[in-house]
């Protein structure tokens, strides 16, 4: 072996005899250029450009999308590049419910309430005083008073009318003596128990513990918390409070007379505070709209996505809104530059991939159609991943590694390793995946590409997917440890399931499931790619195959 190398070295040195160092250098450069020219033919460059364009189609013509995924964790926070306003439906609903639960509804005070409740009672007493002075028989007087009560819509029974007449006849007092008890504006209604107003039982139950705003004529609304002292009371409480006030203030009257007047008044009671539902609803909607807009305003330079925190669906909406406003302000030039940069990076990587194949697997380029089908499959997978990102799903990059595994099964391990490198690089550009995710995807895909081509049974593909999943789990766990973020995740706060997904169990499950899908779909892929794998060839060479048995018998 050593002598052979010396012979080759001597032959090369003799071939360069008579050439200057400059000529040798020029000749080497020319050979490299010729090698690149034979590899990157115009046809292949056109195919590369077409594939890259197909990959970018969902970004160009699809809905507004950002290179982030649900559940992804960023090493660096995202800051707003412009001022923008966004609305999160879930957060808006929570904010609306919170505002509605504490919003002070409006009530208008009925300024005729006292007159409508108490004045007819005084008129009834006045009529009873007049009838008592006529010295007519009791029955006729009671009947006249009862008729007057019905005419004036005062609910008074014959017994109550009799008690009023008896009081007026027995005492012989002046009419103004009964003024306080009939129209108790000064002593009762101005007391702290009644001054704030009276609510219906339904409204009191609804507003208990909340603040309401009371409109009194043209005056500014007054705020009062229902359920505390000196606040609006429940109409069901008023009879008892009136009874207490009657006992304290009107002890000079007989108890039967007090009870009679009190019963007549109680039947006439009604709320003094009437709900202003339209005004309350209008003010509530205005308040909710204002607070939602205020909560959704984000200033330039504000952190819109912290680091080391899983991206939620609300975070994606906020990031997309910022991107939309930024691109609208920067115009189409910024978007074109962004897409052009992504496309050229992927084109350069693809060109390097072709040079890699020429250097190590030149035979593969003679079957360009199959290789093209593999990359069309990769483009379709990218489209599916993009669709999942648009739908807000927790997208996993494992299908990219499976496409590289298909290339390895069809063309061999070295082609699979090269395809893995290209597709992982493209995933990093197109999805802005975390470095740890790409490392885990790269390592697991390499393992799968090295194990899958040598399998001879379908269970071997499952075994390769299982080992790839273990490598992905180990790589993710080690990356979390190396980057110092392992202890930043609190399973108690975010849940153990999210923790397991975060450290790589999600990728492991995806690789195992991917191995199952690839095993089932392998015949379809072989038909699509126009190739036969070792698994299929071994199945065809089985002596128990019906066709082989027929050939053996006929031979």
């Amino acid at each position: 072996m050593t002598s052979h190398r010396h012979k080759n070295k001597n032959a090369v040195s003799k071939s360069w005899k008579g050439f200057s160092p400059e000529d040798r250098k020029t000749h080497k450069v020319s050979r490299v250029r010729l090698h690149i020219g034979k590899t990157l033919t115009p046809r292949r460059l056109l195919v590369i450009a077409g594939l890259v364009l197909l990959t970018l189609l969902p970004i160009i013509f699809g809905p507004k999308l950002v290179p982030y995924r649900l559940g992804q964790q960023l090493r660096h926070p995202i800051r707003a590049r412009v001022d923008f306003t966004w609305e999160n439906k879930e957060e808006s609903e929570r904010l609306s419910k919170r505002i509605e639960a504490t919003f002070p509804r409006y009530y208008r005070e009925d300024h005729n309430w006292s007159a409508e409740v108490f004045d007819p009672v005084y008129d009834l007493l006045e009529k009873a005083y007049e009838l008592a002075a006529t010295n007519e028989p009791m029955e006729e007087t009671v009947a006249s008073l009862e008729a007057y009560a019905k005419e004036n819509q005062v609910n008074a029974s014959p017994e109550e009318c009799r008690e009023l007449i008896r009081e007026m006849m027995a005492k012989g007092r002046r009419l103004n003596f009964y003024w306080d008890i009939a129209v108790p504006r000064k002593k009762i209604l101005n007391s702290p128990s009644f001054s704030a107003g009276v609510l219906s039982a339904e409204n009191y139950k609804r507003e208990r513990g909340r603040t309401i705003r009371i409109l009194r004529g043209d005056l500014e609304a007054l705020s009062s918390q229902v359920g505390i002292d000196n606040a609006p009371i429940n109409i069901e409480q008023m009879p008892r409070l009136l009874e207490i006030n009657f006992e304290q203030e009107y002890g000079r009257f007989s108890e039967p007379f007090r009870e009679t007047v009190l019963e007549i008044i109680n039947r006439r009671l009604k709320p003094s505070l009437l709900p202003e539902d339209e005004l309350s609803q209008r003010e509530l909607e205005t308040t909710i709209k204002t607070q939602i807009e205020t909560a959704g305003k984000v200033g330039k330079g504000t952190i819109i996505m912290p680091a080391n925190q899983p991206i939620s669906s609300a975070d994606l909406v906020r990031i997309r809104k910022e991107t939309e406003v930024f691109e609208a302000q920067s115009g189409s030039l910024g978007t074109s530059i962004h897409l052009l940069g992504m496309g050229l990076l992927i084109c350069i990587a693809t060109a390097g991939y072709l040079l890699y194949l020429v250097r190590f697997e030149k035979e593969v380029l003679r079957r360009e159609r199959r290789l093209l089908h593999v990359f069309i499959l990769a483009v379709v997978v990218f489209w599916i991943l993009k669709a999942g990102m648009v739908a807000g799903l927790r997208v996993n990059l494992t299908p990219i590694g499976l496409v590289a595994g298909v290339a390895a099964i069809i063309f061999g391990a070295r082609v699979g390793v090269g395809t893995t490198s290209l597709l992982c690089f493209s995933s990093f550009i197109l999805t802005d995946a975390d470095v740890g995710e790409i490392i885990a995807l790269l390592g697991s895909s390499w393992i799968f590409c090295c194990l899958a081509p040598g399998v001879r049974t379908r269970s071997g593909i499952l075994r390769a997917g299982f080992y790839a999943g273990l490598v992905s789990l180990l790589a993710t766990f080690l990356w979390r440890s190396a980057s110092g973020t392992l202890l930043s995740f609190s399973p108690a706060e975010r849940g153990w399931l999210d923790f397991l997904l975060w450290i790589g169990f999600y990728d492991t499950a995806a690789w195992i499931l991917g191995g199952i899908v690839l095993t089932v779909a392998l015949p379809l892929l072989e038909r699509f790619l126009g190739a036969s794998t070792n698994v299929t060839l071994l199945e065809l060479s089985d002596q128990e195959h019906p066709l082989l048995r027929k050939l053996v018998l006929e031979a």
Side-chain angles (χ1 to χ4, degrees):
M1 179 67 71
T2 304
S3 59
H4 181 68
R5 288 180 179 175
H6 281 299
K7 287 180 181 179
N8 289 338
K9 187 176 181 180
N10 293 334
V12 171
S13 61
K14 288 179 181 179
S15 65
W16 286 109
K17 267 189 175 181
F19 289 92
S20 63
E22 291 78 9
D23 293 337
R24 296 180 181 179
K25 184 177 181 180
T26 302
H27 185 69
K28 288 181 178 180
V29 172
S30 299
R31 288 182 61 187
V32 172
R33 289 177 178 174
L34 180 62
H35 184 70
I36 294 175
K38 288 183 177 180
T39 304
L40 304 178
T41 61
R43 177 188 173 188
R44 289 174 179 171
L45 291 176
L46 185 63
V47 171
I48 292 173
L51 288 173
V52 173
L53 182 61
L54 283 175
T55 306
L56 297 178
L57 278 181
I59 303 176
I60 299 174
F61 299 105
K64 184 60 61 180
L65 191 62
V66 292
Y68 304 104
R69 308 187 315 283
L70 184 67
Q72 181 180 356
Q73 291 195 352
L74 307 177
R75 295 193 66 193
H76 305 285
I78 302 176
R79 295 182 180 272
R81 295 165 289 182
V82 291
D83 297 333
F84 70 98
T85 302
W86 73 292
E87 181 180 354
N88 177 14
K89 292 184 179 180
E90 295 179 359
E91 187 63 30
S92 298
E93 289 178 0
R94 285 195 294 268
L95 182 60
S96 300
K97 290 179 180 178
R98 187 166 64 248
I99 295 174
E100 189 174 1
T102 58
F103 182 76
R105 281 185 278 265
Y106 285 85
Y107 286 79
R108 185 173 297 278
E109 187 177 61
D110 184 4
H111 61 279
N112 295 322
W113 177 77
S114 176
E116 292 176 356
V117 172
F118 295 99
D119 285 1
V121 178
Y122 179 74
D123 293 339
L124 184 65
L125 291 178
E126 185 178 18
K127 185 65 176 178
Y129 187 82
E130 293 176 359
L131 292 173
T134 61
N135 294 320
E136 293 182 359
M138 176 64 72
E139 296 302 327
E140 294 181 5
T141 305
V142 171
S144 299
L145 184 60
E146 185 180 357
Y148 178 84
K150 289 181 179 179
E151 183 181 350
N152 289 273
Q153 298 180 349
V154 178
N155 187 3
S157 66
E159 290 76 13
E160 292 171 339
C161 291
R162 186 182 303 276
E163 179 60 35
L164 296 180
I165 295 293
R166 184 183 297 114
E167 169 72 20
M168 303 299 177
M169 289 180 174
K171 302 299 182 184
R173 296 165 176 163
R174 293 181 180 181
L175 180 62
N176 58 8
F177 189 79
Y178 301 97
W179 174 263
D180 286 348
I181 194 170
V183 189
R185 288 189 177 92
K186 294 182 179 179
K187 291 186 177 180
I188 294 181
L189 298 183
N190 290 334
S191 68
S193 300
F194 300 98
S195 60
V198 181
L199 289 168
S200 67
E202 180 183 355
N203 288 330
Y204 183 86
K205 182 179 180 181
R206 181 178 69 165
E207 307 295 352
R208 186 180 180 91
R210 294 174 53 165
T211 299
I212 63 173
R213 308 190 74 181
I214 304 173
L215 300 172
R216 292 180 173 174
D218 297 330
L219 299 177
E220 185 178 353
L222 303 175
S223 297
S224 180
Q225 185 177 354
V226 179
I228 62 175
D229 294 337
N230 303 328
I233 63 171
N234 188 349
I235 193 172
E236 294 178 347
Q237 298 174 296
M238 196 167 182
R240 177 57 183 163
L241 294 174
L242 280 174
E243 182 181 357
I244 294 173
N245 276 272
F246 269 47
E247 292 176 355
Q248 293 175 350
E249 301 292 340
Y250 307 115
R252 63 184 182 274
F253 296 107
S254 65
E255 184 176 349
F257 178 75
R258 289 201 315 262
E259 291 179 353
T260 299
V261 175
L262 187 60
E263 284 296 326
I264 295 174
I265 292 176
N266 286 341
R267 286 196 291 267
R268 297 190 58 80
L269 289 177
K270 64 178 184 178
S272 65
L273 300 178
L274 306 177
E276 289 284 341
D277 293 333
E278 292 185 4
L279 176 61
S280 299
Q281 186 63 29
R282 188 164 59 249
E283 291 294 325
L284 174 62
E285 291 175 356
T286 302
T287 303
I288 289 175
K289 181 180 179 182
T290 302
Q291 294 204 22
I292 287 177
E293 290 179 353
T294 303
K297 289 183 178 179
V298 180
K300 182 179 180 180
T302 305
I303 295 178
I304 58 177
M305 184 61 226
N308 301 324
Q309 181 175 323
I311 295 178
S312 65
S313 56
D315 296 329
L316 282 176
V317 174
R318 185 168 59 250
I319 296 171
R320 288 173 184 171
K321 184 63 178 179
E322 188 273 344
T323 304
E324 180 181 344
V325 175
F326 175 77
E327 292 183 356
Q329 292 185 7
S330 60
S332 59
L333 180 60
T335 304
S336 301
I337 293 175
H338 173 65
L339 293 173
L340 181 63
M342 293 174 62
L344 289 179
L345 280 173
I346 297 175
C347 285
I348 292 173
T350 308
Y353 171 74
L354 289 179
L355 292 174
Y356 166 82
L357 293 181
V358 170
R359 176 66 179 85
F360 296 104
E361 294 287 341
K362 189 180 295 184
E363 292 295 324
V364 174
L365 294 178
R366 297 177 182 176
R367 295 174 288 175
E368 288 181 338
R369 187 178 298 274
R370 293 182 183 176
L371 189 63
L372 178 62
H373 288 172
V374 170
F375 280 100
I376 291 176
L377 180 63
V379 171
V380 172
V381 169
F382 273 120
W383 286 357
I384 295 174
L385 293 180
K386 287 291 182 182
M389 293 169 67
V390 171
L393 303 177
R394 188 187 290 270
V395 175
N396 188 275
L397 300 180
T398 301
I400 299 299
L402 290 173
V403 173
V406 170
I409 294 173
I410 301 298
F411 300 109
R414 282 205 285 196
V415 176
V417 169
T419 306
T420 295
S421 303
L422 174 61
L423 295 182
C424 288
F425 177 80
S426 301
S427 301
F428 184 76
I429 298 297
L430 294 172
T431 65
D432 196 34
D434 184 75
V435 176
E437 292 180 274
I438 294 299
I439 290 176
L441 177 64
L442 197 63
S444 57
S445 300
W446 279 344
I447 292 296
F448 188 81
C449 290
C450 291
L451 296 178
V455 299
R456 294 177 173 269
T457 60
R458 297 188 184 275
S459 61
I461 298 178
L462 292 176
R463 189 164 51 252
F466 175 75
Y467 289 141
L470 291 181
V471 171
S472 178
L473 173 63
L474 181 61
T476 303
F477 181 80
L478 293 178
W479 171 256
R480 301 295 184 201
S481 302
S483 60
T485 60
L486 182 62
L487 300 179
S488 65
F489 195 104
S490 176
E493 295 179 1
R494 304 183 190 176
W496 283 99
L497 179 60
D498 288 340
F499 177 72
L500 294 177
L501 299 181
W502 184 65
I503 62 173
F505 276 95
Y506 187 34
D507 296 335
T508 304
W511 270 111
I512 296 174
L513 180 61
I516 296 173
V517 173
L518 186 58
T519 302
V520 175
L522 191 59
L524 296 176
L525 290 174
E526 289 177 348
R527 184 179 295 273
F528 172 70
L529 299 173
S532 298
T533 63
N534 291 339
V535 175
T536 303
L537 292 175
L538 286 172
E539 289 178 351
L540 291 175
S541 63
D542 186 5
Q543 296 295 326
E544 297 300 323
H545 195 282
L547 180 60
L548 289 181
R549 292 181 64 184
K550 183 177 179 181
L551 290 174
V552 170
L553 291 174
E554 292 182 356

